[in-house]
Amino acid sequence: ILDTLADLGLTDHTLIVVTADHGEELFDRGNLGHGQSQYDELLHVPLCLRFPHGRYRGRIDDLVRTMDLFPTVLEAVGLPVPAGLDGVSLMPLVRNEPPPPQTAVAPSEYLYPAPEQKAIRTADYKLIFTPSTGKDELFDLRTDPGEKRNIAAAEPALAAALLAPIQERLHATLDGFHLVARASRGSRHQLQVRLSSPTPLEDVSLYAADADDKYSLSQDGRQLDVDMDLPGGDLEGHEDQDGVFFRTAPGSQVTVSLLLDGRPLPPAALRLGA
């Protein structure tokens, strides 16, 4: 790619960015690959920027987030940065100016296969929280960059302080109602769901939707029909997990009917949780 840019005379008119979507665990904790944890071997990735004419040079050691890359590129090429983005431009750091305050905290989350995990990383510490069990892991990255010693029990005040932004920024996405369907590996099913309420259902969205998943909301908003295809896992052996999120008016009751492959879902297959 770089040779082609040079051959076309575009090198000094191109912003080149090299990064990664995730790291890989190479048996750091007994696993190989990615998609199983919130430790730095999976989250800490390189970010290299080459500006035209070598305008900016040097190394930046501040904490930054991959969500910051999009607004950074926009500002670097002179385009406006839209309002409402989670990320912020890193151009102040590139220009050797104070870092944007938002970059002091880097959130991340891991959704499936279960158990779901959420994490907050600062320059010095990381807290990993598992909502289903309430377990938290706190690591001092200055003395333990390999995240081997959990100090949550020894530093409860620090763990609580880092848990607060998780609740505010990440765990808040759990507000409302979730209807989640999981298909075991090697199976394939079709799930049809009808949700009825005396008041309109709001903020409806599908979770981990496949191409064949769809929903329809009645004109008055009181009936929601969802059709989910559950192929039962991918080539890497992950179970398939689909779902729908929605909100109701306070105190409103919702009636749920489910058909699995055209038949009523057996009670043993249902699990309710708060």
Side-chain angles (χ1 to χ4, degrees):
I1 293 175
L2 298 180
D3 289 343
T4 300
L5 288 173
D7 293 342
L8 296 174
L10 297 176
T11 300
D12 286 331
H13 303 279
T14 304
L15 171 65
I16 299 170
V17 180
V18 178
T19 188
D21 55 343
H22 54 74
E24 296 289 327
E25 180 186 343
L26 303 176
F27 298 106
D28 301 70
R29 301 166 204 278
N31 295 300
L32 179 66
H34 60 269
Q36 66 266 17
S37 76
Q38 291 279 279
Y39 299 113
D40 263 13
E41 56 263 25
L42 301 188
L43 298 185
H44 191 188
V45 297
L47 176 58
C48 305
L49 295 91
R50 193 268 185 191
F51 290 84
H53 304 286
R55 182 179 179 188
Y56 301 104
R57 297 177 181 271
R59 179 184 179 91
I60 296 173
D61 293 323
D62 296 76
L63 180 67
V64 297
R65 298 91 53 87
T66 51
M67 71 173 74
D68 300 324
L69 185 56
F70 174 50
T72 301
V73 171
L74 290 179
E75 182 177 351
V77 300
L79 294 176
V81 177
L85 297 181
D86 291 326
V88 295
S89 173
L90 301 175
M91 287 306 295
L93 282 170
V94 173
R95 296 189 294 262
N96 201 28
E97 299 170 2
Q102 296 94 324
T103 63
V105 174
S108 61
E109 59 183 344
Y110 164 73
L111 298 177
Y112 68 96
E116 177 181 343
Q117 291 183 338
K118 299 180 182 291
I120 285 288
R121 193 192 197 281
T122 69
D124 298 328
Y125 296 96
K126 181 195 283 182
L127 181 77
I128 301 174
F129 177 64
T130 305
S132 62
T133 64
K135 177 184 177 182
D136 52 13
E137 298 175 81
L138 177 64
F139 302 101
D140 185 339
L141 303 176
R142 300 167 300 180
T143 60
D144 180 26
E147 299 167 295
K148 304 296 185 182
R149 298 186 298 275
N150 181 6
I151 62 171
E155 299 284 352
L158 179 57
L162 289 173
L163 181 60
I166 289 181
Q167 301 285 11
E168 294 170 5
R169 301 180 59 175
L170 294 179
H171 212 194
T173 61
L174 298 179
D175 290 346
F177 293 95
H178 299 209
L179 189 151
V180 178
R182 294 185 176 93
S184 59
R185 299 169 188 172
S187 64
R188 188 180 189 95
H189 299 285
Q190 196 72 25
L191 181 66
Q192 294 173 304
V193 181
R194 170 164 290 181
L195 304 168
S196 303
S197 173
T199 59
L201 303 171
E202 301 177 348
D203 298 332
V204 177
S205 64
L206 294 181
Y207 166 72
D210 300 317
D212 295 330
D213 295 342
K214 56 184 180 293
Y215 75 88
S216 62
L217 188 62
S218 63
Q219 189 170 2
D220 61 8
R222 298 181 181 181
Q223 181 172 296
L224 173 65
D225 290 295
V226 185
D227 199 337
M228 302 180 196
D229 182 41
L230 301 171
D234 56 24
L235 293 178
E236 296 181 354
H238 297 152
E239 66 179 9
D240 186 51
Q241 176 174 278
D242 295 345
V244 60
F245 299 161
F246 61 95
R247 299 176 190 272
T248 66
S252 182
Q253 294 184 346
V254 178
T255 301
V256 182
S257 61
L258 305 101
L259 294 177
L260 183 65
D261 300 326
R263 299 178 179 180
L265 194 68
L270 294 175
R271 180 177 301 173
L272 298 178

